Amino acid sequence: MKPNLKKTTLFLMGVFAGSLLYAQTPDSAATKDYVPPFSGGKMLNTWSVGVSGGLMTMYNILSSNHLSDFTNPKSNFGYGLYVKKQFLPALGIQADFLRGKLSGTGAQPDVTNPLTSYSTQINWGGSISAYLTFANINWRSARPVVQPYLMFGGGIINYTPVIQHTGGPDIPFKDHNGTHSIYETYIPVGVGAKFNVTNNLSIDLGYQINFVNADNVDGYNHGSNNDKFSYLHLGLEWAFGSSKKPQMATHNPVSSLRTEYLNGDLANKAALQSEIDAQKAKDDQIKNDLANTNAQLAKLSIDSDNDGVVDANDKCPNTPAGTKVDGSGCPLVLVVTEEDKKVLKDAIKNLEFDFGKATLRSASLPSLDNVAQLMTGKNFSLKLGGHTDSRGSANLNMILSKARAESIKAYLVSKGVNASRIEAVGYGQTQPIASNKTDKGRQINRRVEFTLY
């Protein structure tokens, strides 16, 4: 990344953050974000975690490229993780983890050590930092939309530089102790802004300069200044706890004082509200009693199942439509006569299907018409049980027996029989009444049983 482009990016970041510096949520959020003054942190979310990603480079706003060990620093990807504990609305302590890569070309001339470029892996950096949040105190608004912040801290960083000489291979840099994986202390300092999305979610835009207590981050001890690198990042921060609680970092305690003042004496208001609620409860009870009385009166004329007996006297509610009942609303006991049984026997005797199918043949229909007439005339219910012999697969036989029973049901319904009074069941080859080893036995087993009730 060229210096002019980097400076332009940082300038735009500042303009964007500054334009929203004092942006606040409207007063309508005051009640939602209200927390009793001086209640401490128990009503606020104080723990959060965050992730970030962005550009890591030796270029920074505090130094010039032509004075650096390498005059042409490159930009590489870096990322970070952190956990933060907020102690005050304006103060939080954060544990950071940082990882990424640094590289560059154009080494300062050195006759004894002619370098061309370097590549350093930041294996990890761990630090503890203080975060100072601004612009979250306002008399007129409940909660800030943007929270500018400053941060500074200290920690330990581990990195492994690799340098390239003119015309030579990559060489792992080693410090004066002969160590390639180098540990040093460093001080991170930064600025940024948090943009609130929800009570528990914020967008983090920041710029951080990391001052390393060594001049070998790039594998080149040139000059008298220690190395430092920058981290321009964009990330997300999630707060632990209930989404109904505000974050301490975004909470405006002054707004809660204002809400307390505008509401007046909350204790008297609560007492008055309690009296109003008690009277409302009495009114609701009177309405409920009246509704119950009306419901009881209505029962004297309601016949839910339309059987001619009102519900108050109906001892057998929810009888099927068309069922003949006695004076207490219970179904009359139907007697199956010998003549009725003969109708069923004729239907079973004359029942024919196409071979291997559920299609009724025309010879079956006159007898089935008599069954339909019997059922509609006497309000009988009918169970149809389909059976097959053992030839063929058990699964196909089960399907065929069910289909044949359903075919008979469909025909009877087409003749005016109530479908709810017919149950069609398939048993396949599971219930033989004769031997399946003979043609006659198999013919007997291929049947549909009719049961009136």
Side-chain angles (χ1 to χ4, degrees):
M1 179 182 292
K2 295 181 179 180
N4 289 339
L5 180 57
K6 293 178 179 288
K7 293 178 180 178
T8 302
T9 302
L10 296 174
F11 174 75
L12 292 177
M13 285 174 55
V15 171
F16 180 63
S19 66
L20 296 173
L21 183 59
Y22 294 103
Q24 307 283 326
T25 56
D27 275 348
S28 59
T31 302
K32 178 180 178 182
D33 291 326
Y34 171 76
V35 174
F38 314 111
S39 61
K42 62 183 180 181
M43 300 185 70
L44 300 166
N45 294 328
T46 60
W47 283 96
S48 60
V49 296
V51 297
S52 66
L55 299 179
M56 191 173 288
T57 177
M58 276 292 195
Y59 171 79
N60 59 82
I61 60 176
L62 299 182
S63 60
S64 299
N65 286 352
H66 71 278
L67 298 177
S68 300
D69 295 347
F70 288 83
T71 60
N72 186 21
K74 304 296 184 181
S75 295
N76 298 279
F77 177 72
Y79 64 91
L81 308 170
Y82 63 82
V83 178
K84 186 175 72 171
K85 168 67 174 178
Q86 199 74 24
F87 291 95
L88 297 170
L91 174 63
I93 300 298
Q94 183 167 301
D96 285 282
F97 171 83
L98 185 64
R99 183 179 173 87
K101 180 182 179 181
L102 298 169
S103 63
T105 59
Q108 295 286 2
D110 188 332
V111 175
T112 62
N113 192 19
L115 301 179
T116 58
S117 62
Y118 78 95
S119 175
T120 298
Q121 186 68 42
I122 305 297
N123 299 316
W124 57 266
S127 64
I128 301 295
S129 302
Y131 274 70
L132 303 178
T133 304
F134 301 94
N136 59 349
I137 304 298
N138 190 287
W139 280 102
R140 302 186 61 185
S141 300
R143 175 161 46 96
V145 174
V146 181
Q147 309 159 66
Y149 65 81
L150 295 175
M151 60 79 65
F152 59 90
I156 298 175
I157 191 170
N158 173 252
Y159 52 93
T160 50
V162 175
I163 54 178
Q164 292 84 36
H165 290 268
T166 302
D170 294 349
I171 301 175
F173 173 81
K174 296 182 180 180
D175 62 9
H176 60 278
N177 294 319
T179 302
H180 177 50
S181 181
I182 302 170
Y183 294 84
E184 289 290 352
T185 58
Y186 78 109
I187 297 175
V189 177
V191 297
K194 303 280 180 71
F195 302 87
N196 302 318
V197 180
T198 66
N199 262 2
N200 281 7
L201 179 63
S202 301
I203 297 174
D204 182 7
L205 179 64
Y207 178 75
Q208 177 179 318
I209 300 178
N210 300 279
F211 296 84
V212 182
N213 187 31
D215 187 25
N216 58 11
V217 175
D218 52 13
Y220 189 18
N221 290 302
H222 181 82
S224 59
N225 295 325
N226 288 338
D227 288 333
K228 48 187 173 290
F229 64 92
S230 63
Y231 176 47
L232 175 66
H233 65 269
L234 180 67
L236 293 174
E237 179 178 325
W238 293 269
F240 291 114
S242 171
S243 60
K244 297 179 180 179
K245 289 184 179 182
Q247 290 189 57
M248 180 178 284
T250 63
H251 175 58
N252 182 3
V254 173
S255 177
S256 291
L257 289 173
R258 177 174 178 266
T259 301
E260 188 95 355
Y261 171 76
L262 294 177
N263 288 343
D265 188 349
L266 294 179
N268 290 337
K269 182 178 179 181
L272 178 60
Q273 185 63 48
S274 179
E275 292 179 7
I276 294 173
D277 292 342
Q279 185 60 50
K280 183 179 179 181
K282 291 180 180 179
D283 294 342
D284 290 342
Q285 185 60 48
I286 293 173
K287 292 179 181 178
N288 290 336
D289 292 343
L290 181 59
N292 290 333
T293 301
N294 291 334
Q296 294 299 325
L297 293 174
K299 287 183 179 179
L300 298 177
S301 59
I302 294 177
D303 180 12
S304 301
D305 53 8
N306 296 315
D307 60 359
V309 180
V310 296
D311 289 355
N313 300 323
D314 197 341
K315 295 182 180 180
C316 298
N318 302 320
T319 53
T323 302
K324 293 182 179 181
V325 298
D326 57 21
S328 62
C330 294
L332 293 172
V333 178
L334 299 177
V335 179
V336 181
T337 66
E338 291 299 323
E339 185 178 350
D340 297 336
K341 294 178 181 179
K342 184 177 183 304
V343 172
L344 296 185
K345 289 181 179 179
D346 289 343
I348 295 173
K349 178 180 178 182
N350 296 319
L351 193 62
E352 294 182 9
F353 293 94
D354 288 343
F355 179 75
K357 298 181 181 179
T359 307
L360 284 166
R361 291 182 176 176
S362 58
S364 309
L365 304 184
S367 298
L368 291 178
D369 291 341
N370 292 335
V371 175
Q373 185 177 0
L374 173 63
M375 293 186 65
T376 55
K378 290 191 175 184
N379 289 322
F380 279 126
S381 294
L382 177 65
K383 180 177 181 180
L384 299 169
H387 301 266
T388 68
D389 58 31
S390 62
R391 290 185 298 181
S393 72
N395 184 49
L396 292 178
N397 285 336
M398 185 67 70
I399 295 172
L400 178 60
S401 64
K402 171 70 172 176
R404 286 180 171 177
E406 289 287 354
S407 178
I408 297 171
K409 176 180 178 178
Y411 182 78
L412 294 177
V413 170
S414 73
K415 293 299 179 177
V417 180
N418 190 333
S420 65
R421 291 186 172 276
I422 304 176
E423 179 185 7
V425 182
Y427 297 101
Q429 62 191 45
T430 62
Q431 297 182 8
I433 58 175
S435 173
N436 278 310
K437 295 182 179 180
T438 65
D439 290 340
K440 183 177 181 180
R442 288 191 290 271
Q443 182 179 1
I444 294 173
N445 288 334
R446 295 192 298 271
R447 70 196 186 278
V448 177
E449 296 177 343
F450 289 61
T451 305
L452 284 178
Y453 59 95

